[in-house]
Amino acid sequence: MPVARPESSGARVIAHVDMDCFYVQVEQRKQPHLRGQPTAVVQYNSWKGGGLIAVGYEARKDGVKRSMRGDEAKKACPQIQLVQVPVARGKADLSTYRNAGSEVVSILARKGRCERASIDEVYLDLTGAAEAMLAEAPPESLERIDEEALKSHVLGLNEDGSNLKETVREWLQRSEADHRDKLLACGAFIVADLRMQVLKETEFTCSAGIAHNKMLAKLASGMNKPAQQTVVPFASVEGLLEHLPVKKMKQLGGKLGSSLQIDLGVNTVGELLQFSEDKLQERYGVNTGTWLWNIARGISGEEVEGRLLPKSHGSGKTFPGPQALKTIASVEHWLNELCEELSERLQSDLDVNKRIAHTLTLHATAFKSSDSESHRNFPSKSCPLRYGPAKIKEDTLNLFQAGLREYIGSSGISTHGSRYRGWGITSLSVSASKIVAVPTGTCSILRYFHGQDQSCCSSEQVKDRFPEAAPSSPSGTESYSGSHPTEPPIKFLKEEARIGGAMPIVDENEINTEVCMREDTCAALQPVDGQDPSCSSQGAHHEFIQETSALSSSGTQCCTELNQNELHMESQAEETGTKYLRPGTRPREQKRKLVKDKGSSSILRLFQNFNNSASQKREHATNIDETQASLSLNFQSTGTFSELNEAEVPKENPLGMPTLGQQDELRRDAWDYKIDEIDSTVFNELPPQIQQELRAWLRPQKRANLPKRGSTIAHYFLPTKNTSHYKVMLYLSCNTILVSMTSLCGGIYTISINKKEGNVHPFKWRVNKLNSSH
DNA sequence: ACGGCTTAGACC
DNA sequence: TGGTCTAAG
């Protein structure tokens, strides 16, 4: 349901850019002989010529419509060229179109905030660019103006329908024009330019609308197609909406729009004006009521989100009528196909955009022939997403079976034996959502997947995108890292397995160990001197902030770029990556080196080895094996969930990060463990490499260079059975060495190694919902 | 018992 | 929160 947003104060310049019959253009670029010919794209050519999903303008002239079957199209337009959408794994594969869409987005994002609205549409906020142009090179000062801009349509300008370039030129250059109109004129120039860039670089044409908000821009972009642009001056809004059928408005194409027509007798947007806001709220609720009242007046405050990438990925297929799936085996087969596609796309998203999805969801539709309640929907099910095709398949099948059990009901019907006659599946889809950029520290996780170095993001980047991952507000920090010493932030849940939800079944003791270690940031060790402003003066009370600040000199650049254009990450990452490794003269790089020398080398090697073998393993798609090395073994052996008493909660917050006030004090306190003070049985249970590391840290002669207590020693990432990744930190607290595992999915696991032998519970798993700021 | 396949967002 | 529903291209 639409939701009202207040219009922001100043006039904005918003553009909506829409590709013309995009799939057709993509195919025509691929096969140039199709250019100029009536063309349509179809899928599943087998039945009645397939279904049309895109129709070129030449074919539209002959009355060919989307949603015709191929046969009908042939009838309407005998010369039509029907191109099949690529098929992979028995289903339509849209990746070529997705990729082509990305090409376009990467160009359109150059002049302002850009939001990818669909595979072939974007919104742009060009306010800044338009203001800058108005200040530096206003249209009236231009001697020659761009042909494409001249071809703009300006609503309300040529009422008779004539579109004289001269009147358009006048409008664009009128010096006494309303400030808002001048901004729109600048917008028209900018958009014309962008569209030409798109054409030049991709060979695709597009249409655009330029207005003061998204709604109007969207409306305008469709008014003159193909390959044209339309401007909506403020003064034309009322006239534009007056006779516009409500159904044409975005969000009113469905039931809501029908309700306006049927229940209120409103057929045009203008007719909506007679209803008070109260009246509309009364009928449609506060949000929708206000929204309707606003759009009737051309008001829409929705921001253009700076987002170039999709928020989710999905792969689905329908099995209509007789094709309905009736055995678990056939369902499994198709789920596997869908999962393979999904997995491929997830992997590519990770490779190219450095993003990880956290939730896997299965949707299905089904019928139940025999039963009375056969219309009950098949329930969607979701669970934490684990990477790798095999895992995704396994989890998806489990989700399906859970859904099926529920669907069939607990009426005691057994699904044993693969066939059960009562049900049929008519559609399946698997999707991945909750996609977040790999949070800082990410180089390690990326290397784990890639087996090579990659670039990092700045903390700003992460905070912008994932406030939950790096809370910037004190309260967020509080709840996450527990800076209130009086209030232990860790709550102990006994039912640990619940973390992954009921499905799929997880073995909470098992931790797969493809592991990796971030050697590439100074965050691995907090600087001893505490002098570096980037690492200490920010007083980072949160490890994300702390660790990323250290990256700023080389990391920021990359991230700034990433912000502007996520799609270009790959190449930029490489660039930055090389700079990164070069021994530098800048202080921060020196520090990086220092940190490295200081001593995580063995752990580094350990994880490096894991990396290598893990990535090789991935090639062969076989999983669990000897790469489940010592770490996992050790962690496994410790996975008992004994109750933990309050007394054992570390004095400081459980992540070991000092609060602002504590920080200075802590820094003065050297960490004074002796190796023998640590319960040896506990110590011995650590992975040997980590034992070695700790011994190194504890050597007296090295003390001077030791990390202060309360500081993070090292970070690792562990993909595990029931979540995609954990961030693992080894850090020192006042009484303990803690190995804390922060699940990016929402749990904090802590293993503490206590100083004194008397302390029971050498290893504890503490589970805490990551109950932070949001 | 067919338009197929995707994405996004709001509600509870 | 997960699950459901609407809407759109």
Side-chain angles (χ1 to χ4, degrees), chain A residues 466-633:
Chain A
F466 317 112
E468 75 276 16
S472 48
S473 73
S475 65
T477 305
E478 213 171 271
S479 54
Y480 181 74
S481 61
S483 52
H484 272 179
T486 52
E487 191 184 313
I490 290 185
K491 292 161 193 149
F492 309 118
L493 303 180
K494 283 185 182 169
E495 329 93 302
E496 176 149 2
R498 281 195 162 210
I499 289 219
M503 292 296 304
I505 294 89
V506 290
D507 174 0
E508 62 273 15
N509 286 343
E510 175 175 350
I511 299 175
N512 290 345
T513 40
E514 303 151 308
V515 184
C516 83
M517 156 88 183
R518 41 183 319 200
E519 83 199 284
D520 45 354
T521 78
C522 79
L525 268 183
Q526 178 121 8
V528 177
D529 54 14
Q531 297 305 312
D532 187 284
S534 76
C535 274
S536 61
S537 76
Q538 287 182 359
H541 39 255
H542 187 281
E543 85 272 9
F544 279 114
I545 297 168
Q546 217 158 14
E547 71 191 28
T548 48
S549 59
L551 294 171
S552 53
S553 80
S554 42
T556 308
Q557 178 192 355
C558 147
C559 267
T560 312
E561 307 266 30
L562 179 103
N563 243 339
Q564 288 165 357
N565 189 344
E566 300 167 60
L567 297 169
H568 282 173
M569 254 320 266
E570 186 105 84
S571 53
Q572 282 155 4
E574 278 161 18
E575 253 183 66
T576 319
T578 44
K579 262 183 230 156
Y580 220 71
L581 298 174
R582 208 176 299 139
T585 51
R586 287 175 296 180
R588 211 154 291 132
E589 290 179 354
Q590 286 174 343
K591 182 160 52 110
R592 270 169 40 77
K593 192 160 178 298
L594 183 73
V595 164
K596 245 168 135 172
D597 291 349
K598 233 185 269 174
S600 349
S601 55
S602 68
I603 286 191
L604 282 185
R605 256 178 277 113
L606 163 68
F607 289 112
Q608 202 59 58
N609 290 339
F610 281 154
N611 275 346
N612 296 338
S613 57
S615 50
Q616 285 159 12
K617 286 283 154 26
R618 216 174 52 244
E619 303 290 326
H620 308 313
T622 51
N623 46 16
I624 43 168
D625 42 31
E626 71 272 16
T627 53
Q628 298 217 333
S630 52
L631 253 187
S632 116
L633 277 171

Side-chain angles (χ1 to χ4, degrees), chain A residues 297-310:
Chain A
R297 290 154 184 78
I299 299 171
S300 149
E302 277 173 279
E303 289 286 328
V304 173
E305 307 287 331
R307 184 175 51 79
L308 307 182
L309 300 171

Side-chain angles (χ1 to χ4, degrees), chain A residues 428-450:
Chain A
L428 287 173
S429 95
V430 201
S431 55
S433 58
K434 301 212 175 103
I435 305 183
V436 297
V438 180
T440 68
T442 33
C443 300
S444 58
I445 209 166
L446 293 174
R447 237 179 301 106
Y448 156 65
F449 279 101
H450 297 143

Side-chain angles (χ1 to χ4, degrees), chain A residues 42-45 84-94:
Chain A
V42 301
Q43 58 188 2
Y44 302 139
N45 214 348
Q84 282 190 66
V85 19
V87 172
R89 305 183 187 92
K91 66 180 290 295
D93 178 11
L94 305 180

